[in-house]
Amino acid sequence: MIAPQSRNGGVYIENEWIEQQALEVREEKARKPFADFVAKLFKHKGAVFGAVIILLFVCTAVFASWLAPYEYDKPDISAVLQPPSAEHLFGTDEFGRDIFSRIVYGARISLRVAFVAVGISLVIGTVLGALAGYYGGVVDYIITSITDIAWSFPTTLLAIAFIAALGTGVENVIIAIALASWAGYCRVVRGQFLSLREREFVQAARILGMSDARIIFRHMLPNALAPVIVMATLELPKAIVIEASLSFLGLGAQPPEPSWGVILDSGKGLLDQAPWISFFPGLMIMLVVLGFNLFGDALRDVLDPNS
C-alpha cells in the first residue's frame, strides 16, 4: 500500500494510514473475521469436546458452594472410609470428609492457580520478548541470555526451587509457576517481533515519530498474539499438573485445603483399603488436562496459516 501524497507532491504519512496498515497485517494473519474463526474452531470435534469439559470445570469452581453437599473440611468420625454411595458420591476419606465436596472445592484452587500463574507468566514473557525483538542489540542479548538460562531448567524443578525460597502455600505456588514458565512466551514473542519490526507499517510509524511504546503495544503486539494465545491454552493444563504435583509433595496447598494434589497425597497410603480417595482426584486432573489439551490443539490447528 502506498502512503497518500500531499498537495505539493511530497510524501506524508498519516496516523490513520499507520493504523490501517497494522490492521491489514492482523487481518492477513487471521485471514477471516472473528465469526468465521469461531465457526471453524467449533467445527473441530476436539474443540467442542474440550470446551465442554473446560466449561463444566469452570462452572463447578464458580458454583462450588452450591454443588458441594458437605463442607469440605468438616470431619465425620461415623463416616470414615466409606466407599462411593448415594450418600457420598465419591466416598469419604480417613477423617470421614466427603471426597466429592473436596474435589468440587479443589477445582477452585486448580483453576485459580492455572489462570493466574499463566496470566502472570504470559505478561512477563510477552513484555520481555517484545523488548528483545524490537530493540535487538544489547537488550536482546541480555534478555535472551536470561531466557536461555530459565529455559534450561525443567519447569517443575524450577518451581520447586522457588517454593523452597518463598515457602509453601497456594499464593507462593502461583508465583513459583509464573516465574518458572515465562521463558517460552518470551522466545515466541521475540521471534514474532523480529519478523514484524521490518514490516512497512512499523517503519512508517518510526518515520512518523511515534513512541516506541505505542509501536510495540499498539501496532506490533496485536499481530504477535496468535501463537501466544495457543501457547497459553496449552500451558494451563501444565500449570494444573504442577500445582497438583507440588501439593502432593507437601510444597503447595496445605491440609485441610482441598487441592487435588492434597487429596491424592492423603490417599497414597490407603490404596489397598480406600482406592477411591486417590482415584477420583486423579480422574479429575486427567479430565481437565484432556479438555485444555483438546481445545488448545484445535485452536492451534485453526490459527495455523497453512490450514
Side-chain angles (χ1 to χ4, degrees):
M1 181 175 179
I2 301 175
Q5 301 287 325
S6 65
R7 292 180 180 178
N8 59 8
V11 177
Y12 70 92
I13 303 173
E14 296 285 354
N15 285 354
E16 291 78 6
W17 183 76
I18 302 299
E19 304 287 346
Q20 183 61 31
Q21 283 282 37
L23 180 60
E24 287 178 3
V25 174
R26 285 176 227 169
E27 291 177 348
E28 177 186 337
K29 299 187 78 172
R31 290 190 175 185
K32 293 185 178 181
F34 180 73
D36 291 341
F37 162 77
V38 173
K40 184 177 179 182
L41 175 63
F42 284 98
K43 284 181 181 178
H44 198 297
K45 293 181 180 179
V48 176
F49 190 47
V52 169
I53 294 175
I54 294 169
L55 183 60
L56 284 174
F57 277 97
V58 170
C59 290
T60 298
V62 172
F63 300 108
S65 56
W66 286 277
L67 294 174
Y70 301 92
E71 295 181 28
Y72 71 84
D73 58 349
K74 186 177 180 180
D76 183 359
I77 303 302
S78 64
V80 170
L81 297 180
Q82 288 190 2
S85 63
E87 185 178 2
H88 297 284
L89 193 60
F90 290 173
T92 62
D93 63 10
E94 69 274 25
F95 298 107
R97 297 174 299 192
D98 183 64
I99 298 296
F100 178 77
S101 298
R102 288 179 63 75
I103 286 176
V104 166
Y105 276 97
R108 285 185 172 180
I109 296 176
S110 293
L111 294 180
R112 176 163 65 95
V113 169
F115 282 109
V116 177
V118 169
I120 294 173
S121 62
L122 186 150
V123 171
I124 295 173
T126 298
V127 171
L128 291 177
L131 294 176
Y134 181 79
Y135 288 108
V138 176
V139 174
D140 184 26
Y141 177 79
I142 293 173
I143 293 176
T144 302
S145 298
I146 297 172
T147 302
D148 289 340
I149 293 172
W151 189 259
S152 64
F153 291 94
T155 304
T156 304
L157 182 61
L158 193 57
I160 290 174
F162 284 119
I163 286 292
L166 297 171
T168 60
V170 174
E171 289 73 18
N172 289 338
V173 167
I174 292 174
I175 296 172
I177 294 175
L179 294 179
S181 56
W182 60 267
Y185 300 104
C186 184
R187 290 168 70 103
V188 170
V189 174
R190 175 182 175 273
Q192 292 289 309
F193 267 63
L194 288 175
S195 63
L196 286 172
R197 69 180 182 182
E198 302 303 327
R199 296 295 293 266
E200 185 182 29
F201 73 94
V202 176
Q203 297 296 329
R206 290 194 183 113
I207 294 172
L208 188 63
M210 290 185 182
S211 66
D212 290 344
R214 183 173 183 182
I215 295 173
I216 291 172
F217 295 105
R218 182 72 181 274
H219 300 302
M220 296 180 70
L221 187 57
N223 294 301
L225 284 180
V228 176
I229 293 172
V230 173
M231 184 175 181
T233 305
L234 295 172
E235 285 291 312
L236 287 168
K238 184 178 177 181
I240 291 173
V241 171
I242 292 174
E243 183 277 324
S245 300
L246 293 174
S247 297
F248 179 81
L249 295 172
L251 301 175
Q254 299 297 303
E257 287 186 286
S259 165
W260 293 341
V262 170
I263 302 173
L264 278 169
D265 180 52
S266 68
K268 69 182 179 183
L270 298 168
L271 290 176
D272 56 338
Q273 303 175 50
W276 56 86
I277 298 177
S278 295
F279 173 77
F280 287 109
L283 179 64
M284 296 304 109
I285 294 171
M286 184 199 74
L287 287 175
V288 73
V289 168
L290 176 64
F292 278 112
N293 282 336
L294 287 174
F295 188 80
D297 287 340
L299 188 63
R300 180 186 58 198
D301 292 341
V302 173
L303 291 175
D304 186 353
N306 297 319
S307 63

